[in-house]
Amino acid sequence: MHRQTRLALAALLATGPAALLTASASAITGPAVSDTTLASAAQIVVGDHDHGCSGVLVDPEWLLTAASCFADNPAVGLTVPAGKPKLKTTATIGRSDLSGSDGATRDIVQLVPRSDRDAVLARLNRPVINVAPITLATTAPAAGEELKFAGYGRTKTEWAPLKLHTGTLTVGSSTATTATVTGKDGAAVCMGDSGGPVVRTTGGTPQLTALNSQSFQGGCFGIAATETRTGGISARVDDLASWVNSTTGAPRITDFNCDGAEDIAIADPKAAVGGNDGAGVVRIVYGNNKGTVEINQDLDWVSGGAEAGDWFGEAIATTDHNQDGCTDLVVGTPSEDLGDSTDAGMADVLYGAPSGIGTGTVKDTHFEQDAGTGAIAGSTPETGDRMGQAVAAGTTTSGEPFLVFGAPGEAIGSVPKAGIAFYVRDSTSIGITTANVGISQDSTGVPGSVEANDGFAGSIAADANHIAIGAPGEAIGTDANAGNLAVFSHKLNSEGRPTPLFGLDQDLDTVSGGSEAGDQFGKSLAMVPYRPSGAAAATDSILAVGSPGEDLDIDGVAKTDAGNVLTFRITAAGTYTQLNNYDSGTASDDVTGTSEAGDRFGQTLAAVNTAPHAVGTAATMKLAVGIPGEAVGTATKSGAISTFSLIGSPGANDRWIEVGTSGLPGQPAADQQLGTSIHLTGTKLYAGMPYGPSSYGALYALPMANVIAGGTNTAITTYQPGQGGLPAAGARFGYAAR
C-alpha cells in the first residue's frame, strides 16, 4: 500500500542531521494499543491504497495529520494545495483493530495545509459522533520528556498491520516547529505512521503535542538490518490551537470546484435564454480568478428547458449534499410549467466537482411532483403550486444532508393555496437521496389549520438543529394575512416527518405585538445555530422573523407597512423565548433610521454565526435586515439595509447602509430597492441590486468591517454584467446570491 518512491527518501536525505526517512507513508515497532488514550487516532488511505499514513481527530469533522501524506514528492517539498485531495482519501477513526466495526469511516474532502511545518488539517465528509476528539497541548515538548506516539504503519514484522501500535519516545530538543525525538526500548516510527499522534498525558487526559513526521526507521519492516537508529523528528502542534480552532470553527464557504477558494452563485431569474424572456440563469463566479460560467435550463445536464417566464433561480441555496467536499447549488424554479399546469414549479440540486459545477459524474438531482419517490412522487403538479418558491438546505448535527422545498400554492384536499413543504433527507447512508416526506398544516402536530391562501412554506429557514416554515398568508382569527410559522426539529417522528415543536404568531402572550390583517408575520425567516454559555456545542438556534406588513405607531402617528423583525432563541429541548424586537424606530432613539409608511422593514433577512463552535456573542451573531421600500431623501424606494447583532442590544450594535455608504457606489435613486437581496457569510454581506442602477442589475460584496457597528470601510467587490468576465446581458442580476 506504500509508494516505492518513499523508499528512496533515505538516499535523497542522506546528509547531515536531515538524514531521516520521511515517515509519511510510515507504523510504530511497538505493541498493539490496548488503552483508550489514543482512541482518536486514525488510519488514512490515499487513492487505491497508493499509500497510507496516520492522523488524529481534533474536531468531529477534522483530522490533523502530516502534509507529507498528500505531497507529490515529500523529499523535495511539503507543499500541498488547499482544497479537495487529488485522490480519493479514506480515514478510519477510533478503530484500533481495523478488522472491527467500531469507530467510523469517512472520506477526506478538504485539506487546509500549514506552510511552516509537516501538518495539514483534513476535513471529513461528515462528523464523527462516537469518537471524542483529542485536545491540543499548550506547552512545547521539553528536553528529556517522554511522550507516547502511535500509528497504523509497518511494525518490525508486518508490512500492513491491522492494529494501531504505540511506542514511547524521548524528546531531545525543540525548535519553533519541530522536536527531535528518539524511540525508547527500540520503538521507532515506520512507514505509514506519518501524521500519527504524539501525546502527553496530564491528569489522566491525553493532549496532542506533536505529529510523527520523519524517522531513521531502525527496526522497521523492510529497512536494512544495519539501520539501528530510532531517532526522528516530530512536527509540533502545541502552538496551533488558534489555527485549528479558527479553521474548524469557521462557517463553510461556497466552493463549487472545491479548490479552497470562495465562489459565488448569482441568480438572474428574469434573464432571457435563447430569446425566451424570463427563462432565468444563474451565473457562477469562481474564486482565484478561475472564470465564470452560466447555468440555464438549455444545458443538456440541467433538467427542463428554458422557457419564457420560468424564472429559473428565483430561489437558491447552497450545501454539500452529496458530501464530496464540493459545494452543490440548490435551485428553485417556481414558475416552471409542467404539462398544462402553469407555475407548478420544480427544484434541482446541481452538483459541484473539481473541474466546476456540472462536470462530475452525477450532475443534477431533479425534483418535481408526480416524479421520483416519496411524497413528491405522490403529489400532483397543479397550476399555481409554485414548488421551489422557498428552498433551504444543510446537514443535521449528525451530518445527514437535508433539503426543504416550499410549494405555498399547493392545494391540500380541496383547499386552494394552503401550501406544503417537502423535506428530503438521507438518514441511512452517505450520498444522494430522493427519500422525502410532505409537511402541511394537516400533518400530525403541526400548529394551525389548513385554510385557503395560507401559503404555508412560502418561507423556510433551517440549520443543523431546527427548521422553521412560514405561512405569511395565514389568517389569525378574522385578520387575513396576519401570518404564522411552525418550528420543527430534525428528529423524525413516527410518520417519518420532522417533529413539530411549536407555532408562533403575534396573538401569543409570548410574542410581541398583536396579529393584524396584512402583517405577514413570517414573510421572511433566517436561522443560525447558537451555543449558549455553559453549553458544549451549538445545540440551540436563533430564529429571526420578519413582518414587513407590520403597522407601527411612531410618535403617535400610524405608519402602515413600516415593518419589524422579532428574534427568538430555540433550545435543544424545543422551547423558545423571544429575544429582541427590531425596527427603524423614531428619530430620537438609538437605532439608526426612522420607521416610515411603506418601508417594509424585514422584507428580507440574512443571518450568520461567524464562530458557530464558540459561545455566541454579540460580535459573532449577525443579522441583516432588508428595507427595500425605504425612501432616502426624495428618492422613493431607494432602499436600505440595517445590520444588528442577533443577541446584543439593537441600538448598540446597528449600522445603517444605503447607496453611497459602506462602500456602495453611486447615489440613492428612486426604485433601486436596496435590501431586496441580501446574504451574510462569515466574512461578507452580499447586497444585490437587481433593480438598478445598472440596467442589468449588480451584486456587491461588502467586507464585514463595512457593515458592522464601528467598522471601517475597506474595498468592496462588484459583480456586474459586462465586467469581470460576466457577459453584458441580463435583467435582474443579483436577485439572489449564495
Side-chain angles (χ1 to χ4, degrees):
M1 65 183 288
H2 310 305
R3 296 189 295 185
Q4 295 301 310
T5 54
R6 303 302 178 103
L7 301 178
L9 292 178
L12 291 172
L13 301 177
T15 57
L20 304 174
L21 180 61
T22 297
S24 48
S26 331
I28 280 87
T29 56
V33 67
S34 59
D35 59 55
T36 59
T37 60
L38 292 163
S40 54
Q43 185 213 38
I44 297 171
V45 177
V46 179
D48 187 15
H49 290 268
D50 292 33
H51 63 278
C53 48
S54 303
V56 60
L57 192 73
V58 294
D59 175 90
E61 289 187 90
W62 293 83
L63 300 177
L64 194 55
T65 184
S68 51
C69 186
F70 301 95
D72 289 336
N73 187 348
V76 176
L78 300 180
T79 300
V80 176
K84 189 177 176 69
K86 292 180 180 179
L87 300 175
K88 178 179 173 62
T89 305
T90 303
T92 301
I93 307 104
R95 188 175 300 169
S96 59
D97 185 340
L98 297 174
S99 64
S101 58
D102 54 333
T105 300
R106 299 287 187 265
D107 290 339
I108 291 177
V109 295
Q110 181 186 359
L111 302 176
V112 181
R114 294 285 301 190
S115 60
D116 61 345
R117 70 195 75 185
D118 189 13
V120 64
L121 276 166
R123 183 168 66 85
L124 307 173
N125 64 328
R126 65 166 63 189
V128 176
I129 59 176
N130 60 346
V131 178
I134 196 169
T135 58
L136 269 64
T138 57
T139 56
E145 182 179 11
E146 290 190 353
L147 302 172
K148 180 179 286 187
F149 64 133
Y152 287 89
R154 302 181 196 178
T155 65
K156 289 183 178 181
T157 59
E158 298 174 287
W159 178 277
L162 291 175
K163 294 184 178 181
L164 177 70
H165 286 70
T166 67
T168 300
L169 56 79
T170 302
V171 178
S173 61
S174 294
T175 70
T177 59
T178 63
T180 60
V181 296
T182 302
K184 185 178 179 181
D185 298 327
V189 172
C190 304
M191 283 282 190
D193 294 330
S194 179
V198 179
V199 172
R200 171 193 298 134
T201 299
T202 303
T205 301
Q207 297 177 335
L208 184 66
T209 305
L211 302 173
N212 300 326
S213 180
Q214 300 177 47
S215 171
F216 285 109
Q217 300 196 84
C220 297
F221 186 89
I223 300 300
T226 55
E227 179 56 81
T228 60
R229 291 173 293 180
T230 60
I233 294 175
S234 296
R236 285 180 51 189
V237 299
D238 57 277
D239 61 332
L240 297 185
S242 177
W243 173 68
V244 169
N245 292 336
S246 63
T247 302
T248 62
R252 195 72 48 80
I253 65 170
T254 294
D255 186 8
F256 297 115
N257 58 355
C258 38
D259 64 351
E262 186 169 0
D263 307 324
I264 184 69
I266 309 166
D268 187 341
K270 184 69 166 58
V273 177
N276 295 305
D277 182 55
V281 306
V282 178
R283 302 194 186 278
I284 308 295
V285 181
Y286 292 109
N288 282 342
N289 297 313
K290 291 188 176 178
T292 69
V293 297
E294 176 183 312
I295 302 173
N296 63 62
Q297 290 180 293
D298 271 356
L299 297 175
D300 58 9
W301 58 274
V302 179
S303 297
E307 301 166 314
D310 281 348
W311 275 57
F312 175 81
E314 181 175 341
I316 58 175
T318 52
T319 185
D320 183 4
H321 188 63
N322 62 352
Q323 300 189 320
D324 66 348
C326 305
T327 303
D328 307 317
L329 179 66
V330 184
V331 181
T333 313
S335 295
E336 180 78 22
D337 298 344
L338 297 176
D340 295 330
S341 299
T342 59
D343 298 343
M346 63 186 193
D348 291 86
V349 180
L350 308 178
Y351 293 97
S355 294
I357 193 166
T359 64
T361 303
V362 179
K363 306 176 189 303
D364 178 6
T365 297
H366 179 65
F367 299 90
E368 68 177 65
Q369 295 177 87
D370 200 26
T373 63
I376 295 176
S379 182
T380 303
E382 298 169 313
T383 294
D385 281 350
R386 292 190 56 78
M387 178 180 174
Q389 177 174 312
V391 298
T395 56
T396 67
T397 53
S398 58
E400 297 166 353
F402 69 85
L403 307 165
V404 193
F405 304 125
E410 176 79 11
I412 304 299
S414 60
V415 181
K417 298 184 180 179
I420 192 170
F422 295 107
Y423 179 77
V424 183
R425 166 106 166 255
D426 172 14
S427 59
T428 57
S429 63
I430 297 172
I432 303 165
T433 177
T434 54
N436 61 83
V437 294
I439 308 168
S440 73
Q441 290 178 304
D442 203 26
S443 301
T444 301
V446 177
S449 57
V450 171
E451 299 168 314
N453 302 311
D454 281 349
F456 181 80
S459 58
I460 301 170
D463 64 12
N465 303 314
H466 301 101
I467 310 154
I469 302 177
E474 177 82 19
I476 305 298
T478 59
D479 295 320
N481 298 312
N484 75 349
L485 62 95
V487 174
F488 304 77
S489 76
H490 287 284
K491 180 181 179 181
L492 302 181
N493 63 16
S494 60
E495 298 175 340
R497 295 184 172 95
T499 301
L501 299 177
F502 55 84
L504 292 175
D505 66 64
Q506 289 183 291
D507 266 2
L508 297 173
D509 292 340
T510 50
V511 178
S512 295
S515 293
E516 300 167 313
D519 280 350
Q520 293 186 297
F521 180 79
K523 172 71 173 178
S524 59
L525 301 170
M527 181 186 289
V528 293
Y530 169 60
R531 178 181 170 184
S533 178
T539 55
D540 292 9
S541 301
I542 304 295
L543 170 67
V545 182
S547 302
E550 181 79 21
D551 299 343
L552 299 179
D553 185 295
I554 303 299
D555 293 332
V557 179
K559 305 292 184 179
T560 59
D561 295 345
N564 75 344
V565 174
L566 305 181
T567 53
F568 301 85
R569 174 184 168 187
I570 307 168
T571 69
T575 61
Y576 74 91
T577 52
Q578 184 178 320
L579 297 177
N580 283 322
N581 185 338
Y582 303 83
D583 56 52
S584 295
T586 69
S588 59
D589 64 16
D590 63 347
V591 174
T592 307
T594 304
S595 295
E596 298 289 351
D599 281 350
R600 295 195 64 81
F601 181 100
Q603 176 77 17
T604 55
L605 295 173
V608 68
N609 182 344
T610 62
H613 287 194
V615 172
T617 67
T620 61
M621 307 290 292
K622 303 295 184 184
L623 173 68
V625 180
I627 321 169
E630 176 74 23
V632 179
T634 59
T636 59
K637 295 185 179 180
S638 177
I641 301 167
S642 195
T643 64
F644 302 91
S645 169
L646 275 167
I647 58 177
S649 173
N653 297 278
D654 72 324
R655 182 159 177 173
W656 181 265
I657 303 167
E658 60 187 48
V659 174
T661 70
S662 294
L664 283 173
Q667 297 295 322
D671 295 317
Q672 289 177 337
Q673 298 185 51
L674 176 64
T676 296
S677 167
I678 52 177
H679 175 58
L680 274 171
T681 71
T683 58
K684 301 178 183 70
L685 170 67
Y686 285 96
M689 295 189 66
Y691 298 102
S694 164
S695 58
Y696 304 121
L699 177 74
Y700 303 100
L702 282 65
M704 198 65 78
N706 295 41
V707 300
I708 60 173
T712 302
N713 288 348
T714 58
I716 72 168
T717 302
T718 298
Y719 303 92
Q720 186 171 311
Q723 301 177 13
L726 292 165
R732 294 287 186 273
F733 183 87
Y735 190 90
R738 293 291 184 271

